[in-house]
Amino acid sequence: MSTKVLKLGHIGGRTFLMTAAIIAAIAGLFGVLYLAWFTEEHFTRSFVFEASMATRMNEVPQLRGSIGESHLTYGSAFVESDERLFGLRLILAISEALYFLLFIAGCASIIMICRRLWKNHPFTALAHWAMLVLGAMAGMTALFAPWLADVSNHLAAAELGIPGTATQIPENAGDVNWLVTSAEFSFQDANHPLLALGIVLILLSLVLRRGQRLHLDTDGLV
């Protein structure tokens, strides 16, 4: 009975590994297709970004109101431009491509790990480096992708003549509600869950490295 349970567990584990690898392969393929589609969209559709609305205190327009217990206010607006802005579109495309590349790399890592587990050789240098690279990519994406998006928006606003800071609002702005953007980036702007995932993956790569060394030291008994 014990032997039969072990066989069933072995078959179930193999089935899970095969299913996970197939799903990862399909998802990775869709990731590649979406990456190509989104990149093409960045250079053919209108360039859209969000900016904060600003005006001088003595020229605040009467756009506030209330309906019952609900209150209406304003603070930002979406700017849509059909200008070429090639460099800015490229920066924004790179910021979003980082997420797609991370997803595709994650799918490839899943396939590789499933293959290692299928062969009962999980502690390999390839698995260690795959987790290390994936963790580093996650950390870089968490930090650089939001920053690149902010830089793209800031440069687009400057290209279109929109003030980059509130101090650049003209003295006699009149009834114009100026939009301001900022290229300043702080740790609070980072993608914190993705950054935490990157740290976990890097630590996991170190665990796999220790496992590989222990595997070699014990002549493959581990």
Side-chain angles (χ1 to χ4, degrees), residues 103-175:
F103 178 78
I104 295 169
C107 292
S109 297
I110 291 175
I111 297 173
M112 183 273 300
I113 293 175
C114 288
R115 185 171 179 270
R116 292 289 92 199
L117 291 174
W118 185 282
K119 294 185 176 181
N120 293 323
H121 294 294
F123 300 110
T124 63
L126 182 60
H128 159 68
W129 284 108
M131 290 298 100
L132 183 61
V133 171
L134 193 61
M137 288 182 62
M140 292 177 60
T141 301
L143 295 174
F144 285 103
W147 176 70
L148 288 174
D150 288 345
V151 169
S152 175
N153 293 347
H154 181 78
L155 294 179
E159 184 75 16
L160 298 175
I162 298 174
T165 62
T167 58
Q168 297 178 1
I169 299 176
E171 289 291 338
N172 299 318
D175 295 331

Side-chain angles (χ1 to χ4, degrees), residues 20 34 50 62 84 87 91 95 102 128 147 156 161 189 206 211:
Y34 272 106
E50 184 178 2
Q62 300 298 320
R84 291 189 60 187
I91 295 175
S95 70
L102 177 63
H128 159 68
W147 176 70
D189 299 320
L206 298 178

Side-chain angles (χ1 to χ4, degrees), residues 44-220:
T44 56
R45 67 183 181 185
S46 299
F47 187 88
V48 180
F49 64 95
E50 184 178 2
S52 300
M53 298 180 65
T55 187
R56 296 187 176 277
M57 292 298 297
N58 60 345
E59 299 172 352
V60 177
Q62 300 298 320
L63 294 180
R64 296 182 177 85
S66 61
I67 303 175
E69 296 298 325
S70 301
H71 300 277
L72 172 66
T73 185
Y74 72 98
S76 62
F78 286 96
V79 180
E80 181 176 349
S81 174
D82 291 324
E83 299 287 342
R84 291 189 60 187
L85 304 173
F86 179 81
L88 311 180
R89 293 174 185 268
L90 179 61
I91 295 175
L92 185 59
I94 292 174
S95 70
E96 294 190 3
L98 289 174
Y99 291 104
F100 284 101
L101 293 176
L102 177 63
F103 178 78
I104 295 169
C107 292
S109 297
I110 291 175
I111 297 173
M112 183 273 300
I113 293 175
C114 288
R115 185 171 179 270
R116 292 289 92 199
L117 291 174
W118 185 282
K119 294 185 176 181
N120 293 323
H121 294 294
F123 300 110
T124 63
L126 182 60
H128 159 68
W129 284 108
M131 290 298 100
L132 183 61
V133 171
L134 193 61
M137 288 182 62
M140 292 177 60
T141 301
L143 295 174
F144 285 103
W147 176 70
L148 288 174
D150 288 345
V151 169
S152 175
N153 293 347
H154 181 78
L155 294 179
E159 184 75 16
L160 298 175
I162 298 174
T165 62
T167 58
Q168 297 178 1
I169 299 176
E171 289 291 338
N172 299 318
D175 295 331
V176 178
N177 302 316
W178 291 89
L179 303 177
V180 297
T181 63
S182 175
E184 297 179 358
F185 184 80
S186 65
F187 182 75
Q188 294 180 348
D189 299 320
N191 190 327
H192 299 119
L194 187 58
L195 183 61
L197 176 61
I199 295 174
V200 170
L201 290 174
I202 292 176
L203 293 175
L204 179 59
S205 72
L206 298 178
V207 172
L208 292 176
R209 180 62 176 172
R210 293 290 181 88
Q212 182 190 5
R213 291 179 177 177
L214 184 61
H215 182 77
L216 296 174
D217 292 341
T218 54
D219 295 328

